[in-house]
Amino acid sequence: MYMDQLNQAVKGGIAPFHEYLLQGSIVDSSKDVLVHRLRGLCDNADSNPEAFHDHEMIFSLKGSPQQQPMTVYLRHSLIQTDCWHLRYVGSTEFGDKTRQTLVRSCVDIGVSDSIVKFLNEIGFKLEYEFVAKGYFFHKGRMKVTVSKLFKMNIQGDVNNIDPLTLSCLVELSVVVPTGQEQVGEDMKNFAEQLKPLVQLEKVDHRRQQQAAT
Amino acid sequence: MALAGVTVSIEAVHENQIQEVTLDGQEICVPPLSMSECLAKSAQKIDFAEEDGEEKGKTTSEEETEAQEKESSAFQPSLWPWDSVRNKLKAAYTETGVLLDVLNIAKEKKYMVLAHVQQDTNEPKSALQILAKKKAFGLQSISSGLSTAASVLMGGADRLKKSQQEIGNRQQTEFHFELHNLRQNWRLKKVGNSIIGDLSYRSAGSRFWQGGTFEVTKNTMLPSEQVEGTNTHSALEVVIPSELEGSSYVQVEVKHVSESTGLMHATLKLPNSFGKYPADAHWQTKLEVAQNVLFCKELFSQLAREATQLKSSVPHVVVGNQIFTNIFPSVQLSIILCHATGKGDEKSQPRPPKVEHNHVLEHSLHQLLREVHHKTLHLDPPHPVTATFGMTKRRRLAGPSGMSRADLKEMSESETLLEQIIKQARHEVLRVRTMTTIDRLASTIPDPQIMAHWSCLNSSLQSNVKIIITSNGYDGLRLTWQSLDLEIGTDSIKVVTKDRRILMLSFLEKELEDLIRWQVSQHHISLSQNLARLMGWQILSYNGCSGVGEMEDFATASSIQLVAPNNDRMLSIRSGITSGLHVYLKIDSKDSLDPSLTALVDPKWLNLSGTFKEIDMEQIDGRNFAAKLEFIMAMVKQKR
């Protein structure tokens, strides 16, 4: 049902966007080298890398047991505390193996701080949450983030955190209107340049989930 | 065997030696040797002298057989005592016979021709050997002399070769060194065998369609071959695309045009030294100039695009490489792209020496485009990091905070380069106008002094000036100051007077002039007022806009009436903008009054009216009005 509504929204021209994504990880000890390299490769090499500090909450709405739960990602910046962002990510388009990157539809909405209350009201439940800290780079319209994920010891307390792993998540993503296939090529070329440091690949999340269970 | 399967093909060597390869690739072969030449060559290779030498040590086969015969004969029982003598004679006879045969062969050309064997010049060594082997002493000395000479020559050739190689190596390292330098300042990449560089502003945020690629090549010219008079030799050369050759700049001109002059009229003036730089300039200079050309082109195309799109009451005109726009009535701003390739014969064009080029505006144009570049590159980072990239924070918050349509519209509005430069030009024109107006008035109005204090802190769109009107000698007294602040904007001037009234003036200089003149006339009255207070006089009345008397061209005259401390003298001062300053003194007194009335009227009523007479201010001593008035007041106050 929700999916239909979403499809309608997409058809209605509200958010005909696609996200192209490549992911990889790097151990903490080599992070500085990667950041240095990214500074050189990306735009604004003259200024310091932009740091970010976000709190992400994942809400899901479960319908009947047969249906896939509907999941939304809510992010809240801890630097600019008035900025909240809600995101829905569609299922990955696996159909085309020749594609260089993972491609999925997405809906991005800027929201205000009352969103948590609103989501709870309409039946969404908090699944899990984490804190992400790291650096943001951009080259043209490509976004590169190097983020360290932290788990929260007490629910809702963003100050009481512990690192989740000994490595950092590296993501290269572009959000573009539908039908711009050139982006994947550009991203692949960019990923090539980071190669010995970090291996950016299209990650099959479903398979990973299956492996985990 | 492992190698059994390998087929080895053998090919005959080229039979004939190649003598020369012509420029068109044709090979000229040495003609094959004829039989006799072949024989001669083979014969030449035989070292006869060696054979001779060997002969001494060894015995020939003939001798061997003879010796064997001798041995066999030695076993013969009947050994004849003259046998050895006979043998020797026999041998001598044989030798003589052979000699005779040889002589016959040599003499009679029937069997053999003795031809002179040409010495192979390519192999001087063999010739030397032959010479050396000659037993003759003289020849030996010659050969040794030749060999020393040869070794000297060979040594010299070796040294030359070595030095040539060194030069080559140095050039190679110089090239790499310069390439390293180039790499530090410019973007380079290797495509195939060539090195391509990029001098465009793309990486700095430009979105101009025209690219700026250049090629880096090695300078093959040797330092010794370069043109006289140039001392810089670079191992590296850059090839710049032809459309970016030469040099260019954007000429900005603000000029006054009369209504009759056609709008589309501009003279392009180029300074003499412009557009020429030496062809063998250093690559850094070349690249910088080409980059500037590209920048100017981008700037101009941006302006031209905006000029055609921008709606205004007076349309902007774009003709070729010129943009005209009217910033004020009869004031025109022209922006011209000058691009000199430096190739054409420029001396043929007559050039006026003075170029009315506005460097400040040109500089701001450059700055504006660079700002645009900077903005395209320096986008607001998204927070949280998953948020849509490329929006400002305000834009991102527009949805959640429920911004109105008007707010959004206001946010999306941005000024084009042309609008900004027009504003700056307007401000500049207005500032210069204000400046000249104030200066002119200060020099034409001598009495109250007009001083202008320009604020050093101003922007390209606003500047401030404080005008102070004082009287010489009285400027120490703050009471006698008249001041007004002018805030010069883009097309109007905001005036704040001493009493904090705010007036808005348009761009017309007449308005400012009128205002200052009015202030000057006001100054006289306020000066009189303050002077009266200081001298103990009383102010009877003050009228800011006096309705009596001569009509002024604009505004109104003001007047003041002052009474002396002992109440018997009165001064009336009227100050008009065009009518000027007039001072009247009441001449009525008790003495001059009709005696019949003295009994009836209280003397105080005499102050109400009376006969006034104008004082000729020219006749009064004093540098200025203030001094004169003080003098009059002091004189009149005295008890009669």
Side-chain angles (χ1 to χ4, degrees):
Chain A
M1 189 176 81
Y2 310 108
M3 279 308 291
D4 291 346
Q5 278 175 0
L6 188 80
N7 285 340
Q8 266 180 355
V10 170
K11 275 175 196 157
I14 294 173
F17 282 105
H18 276 255
E19 187 188 32
Y20 290 69
L21 182 71
L22 286 175
Q23 287 174 312
S25 80
I26 187 159
V27 288
D28 284 346
S29 55
S30 313
K31 191 189 80 177
D32 290 340
V33 186
L34 177 72
V35 168
H36 193 259
R37 179 127 183 81
L38 281 169
R39 271 190 76 180
L41 284 172
C42 295
D43 293 344
N44 303 356
D46 49 339
S47 49
N48 283 328
E50 182 71 26
F52 69 87
H53 188 183
D54 293 342
H55 172 210
E56 180 154 348
M57 285 165 270
I58 288 85
F59 288 90
S60 71
L61 182 62
K62 289 190 179 79
S64 57
Q66 291 86 26
Q67 277 179 330
Q68 277 277 5
M70 160 99 176
T71 308
V72 288
Y73 302 82
L74 177 67
R75 268 216 186 204
H76 174 216
S77 172
L78 298 174
I79 295 173
Q80 295 179 357
T81 45
D82 47 348
C83 293
W84 293 73
H85 184 252
L86 185 70
R87 167 161 241 246
Y88 169 79
V89 176
S91 61
T92 318
E93 293 176 15
F94 282 108
D96 198 351
K97 287 279 182 210
T98 56
R99 272 196 175 140
Q100 307 275 20
T101 63
L102 187 143
V103 183
R104 57 192 188 184
S105 63
C106 68
V107 180
D108 286 301
I109 314 150
V111 286
S112 63
D113 55 354
S114 55
I115 182 70
V116 179
K117 207 176 162 192
F118 177 74
L119 285 174
N120 282 326
E121 290 285 327
I122 59 171
F124 277 92
K125 289 277 173 300
L126 180 71
E127 286 273 305
Y128 58 94
E129 59 182 344
F130 63 86
V131 169
K133 267 190 201 177
Y135 294 105
F136 164 79
F137 301 90
H138 71 96
K139 183 174 175 63
R141 52 187 175 170
M142 272 188 277
K143 278 206 296 202
V144 187
T145 56
V146 179
S147 42
K148 178 96 184 139
L149 303 182
F150 295 89
K151 69 170 181 230
M152 296 165 68
N153 295 329
I154 302 164
Q155 189 188 330
D157 186 1
V158 291
N159 296 316
N160 189 356
I161 50 173
D162 282 323
L164 210 58
T165 56
L166 290 173
S167 55
C168 287
L169 176 69
V170 185
E171 283 183 308
L172 173 62
S173 68
V174 184
V175 177
V176 287
T178 319
Q180 293 191 12
E181 295 294 318
Q182 177 57 31
V183 181
E185 201 63 41
D186 292 346
M187 285 171 71
K188 198 73 196 165
N189 288 339
F190 187 81
E192 282 297 315
Q193 297 189 49
L194 295 174
K195 225 119 208 206
L197 277 171
V198 60
Q199 197 93 16
L200 291 176
E201 283 168 344
K202 56 191 267 193
V203 179
D204 192 342
H205 294 116
R206 273 189 222 161
R207 199 167 295 164
Q208 276 192 338
Q209 269 176 353
Q210 279 165 7
T213 53
Chain B
M1 275 178 76
L3 291 169
V6 181
T7 49
V8 179
S9 56
I10 299 168
E11 198 176 280
V13 215
H14 203 287
E15 287 115 344
N16 302 325
Q17 240 181 333
I18 295 161
Q19 187 183 14
E20 193 187 349
V21 182
T22 56
L23 289 175
D24 57 351
Q26 213 175 5
E27 292 171 347
I28 297 169
C29 298
V30 179
L33 295 175
S34 67
M35 286 290 271
S36 64
E37 276 170 335
C38 202
L39 179 68
K41 208 167 180 183
S42 307
Q44 201 192 337
K45 279 180 186 161
I46 300 165
D47 197 345
F48 290 105
E50 205 176 332
E51 283 297 305
D52 281 347
E54 274 175 11
E55 222 168 319
K56 275 189 186 144
K58 278 186 195 168
T59 48
T60 55
S61 56
E62 205 177 345
E63 270 174 325
E64 256 175 65
T65 50
E66 273 173 30
Q68 276 174 353
E69 276 170 31
K70 225 196 291 182
E71 273 175 42
S72 61
S73 61
F75 286 109
Q76 283 174 0
S78 54
L79 198 71
W80 192 40
W82 294 99
D83 199 39
S84 63
V85 176
R86 185 193 69 110
N87 282 347
K88 286 255 162 71
L89 282 174
K90 194 181 171 190
Y93 171 73
T94 321
E95 293 242 342
T96 335
V98 170
L99 182 64
L100 183 72
D101 285 349
V102 169
L103 283 175
N104 273 337
I105 287 165
K107 208 179 162 198
E108 288 174 37
K109 317 260 156 139
K110 206 157 83 184
Y111 311 104
M112 204 189 217
V113 182
L114 276 187
H116 177 69
V117 176
Q118 198 161 18
Q119 297 294 347
D120 198 339
T121 44
N122 290 341
E123 292 168 332
K125 210 178 156 195
S126 62
L128 281 176
Q129 259 178 354
I130 287 169
L131 281 171
K133 297 289 174 184
K134 296 282 183 200
K135 296 286 186 297
F137 181 71
L139 279 180
Q140 222 165 18
S141 69
I142 288 169
S143 76
S144 67
L146 279 173
S147 67
T148 46
S151 70
V152 168
L153 282 173
M154 292 295 273
D158 273 352
R159 278 182 58 187
L160 272 176
K161 225 182 262 176
K162 219 179 268 174
S163 69
Q164 198 70 29
Q165 209 168 12
E166 260 173 36
I167 288 169
N169 281 345
R170 204 166 54 222
Q171 264 193 319
Q172 189 71 22
T173 51
E174 256 178 33
F175 175 73
H176 285 126
F177 185 68
E178 293 222 16
L179 196 64
H180 177 73
N181 281 345
L182 186 73
R183 183 90 175 75
Q184 286 180 334
N185 294 318
W186 303 91
R187 290 164 73 92
L188 297 177
K189 63 178 174 186
K190 199 159 185 230
V191 180
N193 278 332
S194 50
I195 304 165
I196 303 288
D198 186 12
L199 54 79
S200 72
Y201 279 87
R202 284 237 177 109
S203 56
S206 161
R207 283 177 187 160
F208 192 43
W209 55 271
Q210 193 174 338
T213 48
F214 63 92
E215 199 185 339
V216 182
T217 56
K218 209 165 162 179
N219 192 356
T220 47
M221 198 167 69
L222 287 170
S224 53
E225 291 170 20
Q226 68 176 329
V227 193
E228 291 278 323
T230 51
N231 45 11
T232 50
H233 176 263
S234 166
L236 191 143
E237 253 188 286
V238 287
V239 184
I240 286 160
S242 58
E243 67 268 19
L244 295 182
E245 269 174 11
S247 48
S248 75
Y249 76 112
V250 174
Q251 185 184 310
V252 188
E253 208 179 324
V254 177
K255 56 186 176 186
H256 296 262
V257 285
S258 54
E259 296 294 334
S260 56
T261 329
L263 197 64
M264 285 176 246
H265 171 72
T267 43
L268 189 64
K269 301 156 197 160
L270 291 171
N272 274 323
S273 57
F274 183 72
K276 286 171 192 162
Y277 64 93
D280 54 351
H282 192 247
W283 45 261
Q284 183 69 24
T285 345
K286 272 192 187 176
L287 291 177
E288 276 169 7
V289 170
Q291 196 172 35
N292 185 44
V293 172
L294 189 68
F295 189 81
C296 289
K297 279 190 171 187
E298 178 177 357
L299 183 60
F300 188 81
S301 72
Q302 172 86 15
L303 287 172
R305 196 169 54 242
E306 285 168 6
T308 47
Q309 283 169 0
L310 214 63
K311 302 261 186 300
S312 75
S313 52
V314 182
H316 311 294
V317 183
V318 184
V319 186
N321 60 346
Q322 305 172 346
I323 301 171
F324 300 102
T325 171
N326 269 16
I327 46 174
F328 288 127
S330 80
V331 177
Q332 191 190 59
L333 171 75
S334 62
I335 300 168
I336 305 161
L337 174 70
C338 307
H339 184 192
T341 50
K343 279 175 183 168
D345 185 20
E346 282 172 34
K347 290 205 169 151
S348 59
Q349 301 167 8
R351 250 181 257 111
K354 198 178 154 227
V355 176
E356 283 175 29
H357 174 50
N358 196 323
H359 293 277
V360 176
L361 287 180
E362 191 203 359
H363 181 254
S364 346
L365 268 178
H366 279 241
Q367 233 173 1
L368 287 173
L369 185 60
R370 268 168 217 266
E371 233 166 70
V372 170
H373 286 175
H374 187 267
K375 261 185 205 160
T376 54
L377 219 58
H378 292 75
L379 298 163
D380 267 19
H383 280 289
V385 84
T386 47
T388 317
F389 177 54
M391 289 183 186
T392 59
K393 188 191 169 193
R394 206 165 154 231
R395 176 96 190 279
R396 265 188 279 119
L397 286 174
S401 60
M403 237 180 229
S404 69
R405 188 166 179 270
D407 286 338
L408 281 170
K409 225 178 155 184
E410 184 204 33
M411 205 159 62
S412 66
E413 264 172 22
S414 63
E415 276 189 322
T416 58
L417 285 186
L418 191 66
E419 280 173 322
Q420 291 181 63
I421 201 70
I422 287 174
K423 270 192 175 176
Q424 290 195 12
R426 275 189 179 154
H427 171 69
E428 198 165 299
V429 169
L430 207 56
R431 197 177 60 219
V432 172
R433 273 186 182 178
T434 312
M435 215 181 275
T436 50
T437 309
I438 294 171
D439 286 356
R440 187 162 44 81
L441 287 174
S443 61
T444 51
I445 302 173
D447 188 355
Q449 286 176 318
I450 300 172
M451 289 186 279
H453 292 276
W454 290 87
S455 166
C456 59
L457 296 170
N458 51 11
S459 75
S460 54
L461 294 177
Q462 199 190 62
S463 45
N464 289 313
V465 58
K466 189 179 187 75
I467 298 172
I468 298 172
I469 302 167
T470 64
S471 293
N472 190 13
Y474 292 81
D475 33 14
L477 300 165
R478 277 305 291 257
L479 287 169
T480 57
W481 275 30
Q482 187 83 9
S483 71
L484 65 157
D485 295 310
L486 263 56
E487 195 182 298
I488 306 164
T490 52
D491 45 16
S492 64
I493 302 171
K494 186 172 148 194
V495 183
V496 183
T497 58
K498 194 182 182 182
D499 49 357
R500 297 295 109 189
R501 261 188 296 170
I502 292 171
L503 311 169
M504 293 301 288
L505 304 184
S506 79
F507 55 86
L508 292 170
E509 55 216 303
K510 183 79 173 73
E511 288 185 21
L512 180 67
E513 191 183 329
D514 290 354
L515 178 81
I516 293 174
R517 282 186 183 279
W518 178 59
Q519 284 287 312
V520 165
S521 82
Q522 291 279 310
H523 170 76
H524 288 309
I525 297 301
S526 68
L527 176 82
S528 316
Q529 195 178 350
N530 288 319
L531 213 55
R533 270 192 209 132
L534 287 170
M535 309 253 319
W537 285 50
Q538 276 186 330
I539 300 152
L540 203 62
S541 73
Y542 166 77
N543 194 350
C545 45
S546 147
V548 290
E550 217 179 310
M551 258 295 262
E552 303 295 325
D553 288 356
F554 60 91
T556 49
S558 45
S559 64
I560 191 165
Q561 280 180 313
L562 308 168
V563 182
N566 53 2
N567 277 355
D568 62 343
R569 288 300 170 103
M570 200 188 275
L571 274 175
S572 175
I573 303 161
R574 184 182 190 275
S575 173
I577 298 155
T578 45
S579 59
L581 186 70
H582 300 279
V583 182
Y584 303 91
L585 180 69
K586 188 179 164 191
I587 49 166
D588 284 346
S589 67
K590 277 180 210 166
D591 311 330
S592 60
L593 201 71
D594 188 355
S596 60
L597 290 171
T598 10
L600 297 171
V601 185
D602 192 296
K604 68 177 179 188
W605 300 111
L606 292 173
N607 290 334
L608 282 177
S609 66
T611 320
F612 281 83
K613 203 157 192 181
E614 188 176 355
I615 299 170
D616 185 1
M617 295 303 275
E618 294 291 313
Q619 302 295 317
I620 308 290
D621 279 344
R623 274 187 297 183
N624 50 23
F625 172 67
K628 285 175 182 177
L629 188 68
E630 193 182 0
F631 186 64
I632 293 167
M633 282 175 163
M635 288 274 291
V636 169
K637 210 167 87 175
Q638 280 175 353
K639 284 261 180 205
R640 282 165 298 172

